[in-house]
Amino acid sequence: MNIIVKKYGGTSVATVERIEKIAKKVVELKKKNKIIVVVSAPAGMTNDLLEKAKKISKTPSKRELDMILSVGEQVSISLLSMAIQNLGEKSISFTGWQASILTNENYNKAKIKKINIKRIKKELEKDNVVILAGFQGVTKKNEITTLGRGGSDITATAVAAALGLKEVDICTDVNGVYTSDPRIVNNAKKIQKISYEEMLEMADSGAKVLHGRCVELAAKNNLKIHLRSSFTEEIGTIVGGVKNMEKPIIKGITLSKNESKISIKGIPYSINVLNTIFKEIANEGINIDLIVENKVKDEIDISFTLSKNDFEKALCVSNKIKEKLKAKNVEFNESVSKISVIGYGIKSNPGIAAKVFEVLSNEKIPIDMVSCSEIKISCIVSKEHSEIGLKKLHEKLIEKNKEVEKYENL
Amino acid sequence: MNIIVKKYGGTSVATVERIEKIAKKVVELKKKNKIIVVVSAPAGMTNDLLEKAKKISKTPSKRELDMILSVGEQVSISLLSMAIQNLGEKSISFTGWQASILTNENYNKAKIKKINIKRIKKELEKDNVVILAGFQGVTKKNEITTLGRGGSDITATAVAAALGLKEVDICTDVNGVYTSDPRIVNNAKKIQKISYEEMLEMADSGAKVLHGRCVELAAKNNLKIHLRSSFTEEIGTIVGGVKNMEKPIIKGITLSKNESKISIKGIPYSINVLNTIFKEIANEGINIDLIVENKVKDEIDISFTLSKNDFEKALCVSNKIKEKLKAKNVEFNESVSKISVIGYGIKSNPGIAAKVFEVLSNEKIPIDMVSCSEIKISCIVSKEHSEIGLKKLHEKLIEKNKEVEKYENL
């Protein structure tokens, strides 16, 4: 019999009514399949607990944080199991430790090392719907860990991979991945198929619908992710299993407003400048996104962007670096936006970059920084220009480009 | 170094401020002792979760119920641990399964079979405050269980017993056991010392401050319970370690309003009547409190009282019994009250029973049923008479009785 792994996010289990809706769907699917359901904590619950913790301590121990962060899913799994049983179907719920989801000891963002699927398989054989707490695991020393952002998606993907399945269903409150944010771009279209690499760039560039770690895990295990709505049977977006194409295809355009920019200016030239700067920053655990270096005579200017969450820490380090390297000054903009155009062949088709710059320039939007990867161009623009830039790029590069549709209909 | 086990109830960890207060107390005590803290769920949390569960299913599976009922303590232990660490002290929190609190598989009211205290001892040796989730355990098959009412007191008592200690501190929002309910009887006095047996009768008769199971466990292990306030250092009530006395001593007078009464009348006499009735009732898992039987000619009338919570179930069974035994009718009063007078030597001193009846009769309070044990007289009275009866009995039997004070000053 076919095994289906379905993950439901926090909004899908936020109320009793929604839990009952999910239960009905699961019972319906159960008629023809064996079902494993992975659930997140009810929306809001984990944040409420986190807030309480932060009231008690500004820097709570990571171990104790995972202790409290893992209770939300335990609530969801038990309520969903009750709802399924109430419809006359057999089910059993498991926390991360009960399901033997073994992780390393990296509290708050632990990595799954192994899943012992014996117990899960046994319960499937007994005709139970198996309900698993997402986002959490256990170390070999019996300590509770959580997996960090996107954790439940990762749990579902890892379980599907451990069972040797070909696909995992990630069910959420949107019905797929869009060519751009539909709340901003009216004509944004649902993407039918997208490669792992493109999805990774989308996720990294502001599309919050799937976390990069989950996409990577799926890619490694050659597992397709079907990103779809929690409440309908509509086909969503399939991630993975797409052949790369020679022709450049713009798959999506994303916007992230959660960015900050810092520049360290007038650093006396030395071979070690970059090395020194980014070692100091890495030591603080700050992830840098874009980097632009500019050398004028014997001085270097360095600008970089990073997540707004890390801004204060980064500014602090930057000032230390300024002193150390005898730089002239530190400039910053706490709130900038990043627009990213994503698709295969972007780098090998310089025309696309040119088109992006042309569209923005026609709108009189200054581009502050630019970065290109194999399949992505990102532009840092000011916050006030970000939405109009996104709309215009979507209009010119996707809505007026027949290639997209051709690709979509493959 | 001295090991102290302290249990804090749900009201003591209901807010961030209270958790911080408890943390301060623990850190203070830690200077001279090794500390184990057992905590309940934040007041209200478990009930909220239970309500959600009941919305989804009127008869949720007991296993899934324990899954959700056990999350509250996980929140408390982690927040308390953070608060202690925030004051610069080392601490570590454990759920029931992490602390190896092994129980049988009787979900919702599991019994502790064994506590593997290796891990707890190791952490005490590492100079950690050990914080344990009360109320919960784990079966040998890795299933989560809860211990039922008074569960956290039971956890604390069991842990103290497993460590071979002589005393356990049960900290709560009152500062001891009183001769009667201070909210009703103004002159109720705190009891300094009380025997296990007296405390058992008090608990069974409406004093909610300690659960009988916990007292039994302490008695079996010859462990004193020090029932005291969460927030002061005041000495509370010591349960256990009291010698019995020849002279009758009235230790306390309790009131329980949570009682129902059912009578099955006009049952044709047969030797099996009582047997049949109470087997049927036991099969439904209903605990009966008082029983009165009355035989007139060839007919029997049976009356019994039970907890109001079981009233509907019990009435339903009683009607079945009526049909089966061809009784004439079933009468009931959903809401009656039970006043109990507790102390050693009550049965062997018939004067006390007479005094109880005299006080109630002087107040023109009809006594509906009476039951006597070795150390307790219970009277069922109507709800409207209950508080005045309690006050008068306290006045005549305790306030005007010098014996009490003599005992108190031992």
Side-chain angles (χ1 to χ4, degrees), chain B residues 3 5 160 165-169 223-226 228 238:
Chain B
I3 300 178
V5 176
L165 304 186
K166 293 204 172 118
E167 196 170 303
V168 59
D169 277 10
L223 181 78
K224 284 183 210 162
I225 299 175
H226 187 171
R228 65 198 305 185
I238 307 280

Side-chain angles (χ1 to χ4, degrees), chain A residues 14 16 19-20 42 45 49 52-53 55-58 60-61 63-68 70-71 74-75 77-83 85-86 91-95 97-98 119 138 141-144, chain B residues 14 16 19-20 42 45 49 52-53 55-58 60-61 63-68 70-71 74-75 77-83 85-86 91-95 97-98 119 138 141-144:
Chain A
V16 164
I19 290 171
E20 284 170 341
M45 183 167 180
L49 294 170
K52 263 201 178 161
K55 261 192 209 161
I56 285 179
S57 169
K58 278 185 189 155
S61 115
R63 178 192 184 276
E64 298 300 341
L65 209 50
D66 277 353
M67 179 68 87
I68 200 167
S70 59
V71 309
Q74 200 169 326
V75 171
I77 56 172
S78 117
L79 292 177
L80 181 59
S81 187
M82 288 174 191
Q85 290 170 4
N86 204 38
S91 67
I92 188 162
S93 69
F94 291 123
T95 60
W97 62 271
Q98 286 179 320
R119 179 86 201 257
V138 65
K141 286 181 185 162
N142 269 348
E143 302 286 4
I144 296 173
Chain B
V16 165
I19 290 171
E20 284 169 340
M45 183 167 178
L49 293 171
K52 261 199 179 162
K55 260 192 211 160
I56 284 178
S57 170
K58 278 186 188 154
S61 114
R63 179 194 183 275
E64 299 299 342
L65 210 50
D66 277 354
M67 179 67 87
I68 199 166
S70 59
V71 309
Q74 200 168 328
V75 171
I77 55 173
S78 117
L79 292 177
L80 182 58
S81 187
M82 289 174 190
Q85 290 171 4
N86 203 39
S91 68
I92 187 162
S93 70
F94 291 124
T95 61
W97 63 270
Q98 286 179 318
R119 180 87 201 256
V138 65
K141 285 181 185 161
N142 270 347
E143 301 286 4
I144 295 172

Side-chain angles (χ1 to χ4, degrees), chain B residues 311-371:
Chain B
F311 175 70
E312 280 177 42
K313 252 199 296 182
L315 189 59
C316 195
V317 186
S318 299
N319 279 312
K320 265 192 235 159
I321 295 170
K322 186 192 107 179
E323 298 303 320
K324 194 167 173 181
L325 298 181
K326 301 193 167 55
K328 285 193 179 134
N329 61 323
V330 171
E331 290 174 6
F332 59 86
N333 187 343
E334 194 185 343
S335 217
V336 296
S337 291
K338 181 174 70 171
I339 302 178
S340 303
V341 177
I342 292 147
Y344 273 109
I346 280 183
K347 199 165 195 172
S348 49
N349 286 270
I352 292 177
K355 185 78 187 164
V356 169
F357 301 150
E358 184 195 316
V359 171
L360 293 177
S361 135
N362 284 345
E363 296 299 320
K364 309 220 179 333
I365 298 174
I367 303 171
D368 214 6
M369 289 167 79
V370 172
S371 154

Side-chain angles (χ1 to χ4, degrees), chain B residues 125-154:
Chain B
E125 275 158 25
K126 283 198 226 161
D127 211 33
N128 274 312
V129 173
V130 174
I131 302 163
L132 300 180
F135 181 69
Q136 56 181 249
V138 65
T139 70
K140 63 179 178 202
K141 285 181 185 161
N142 270 347
E143 301 286 4
I144 295 172
T145 52
T146 66
L147 308 179
R149 271 188 55 206
S152 296
D153 294 352
I154 294 165

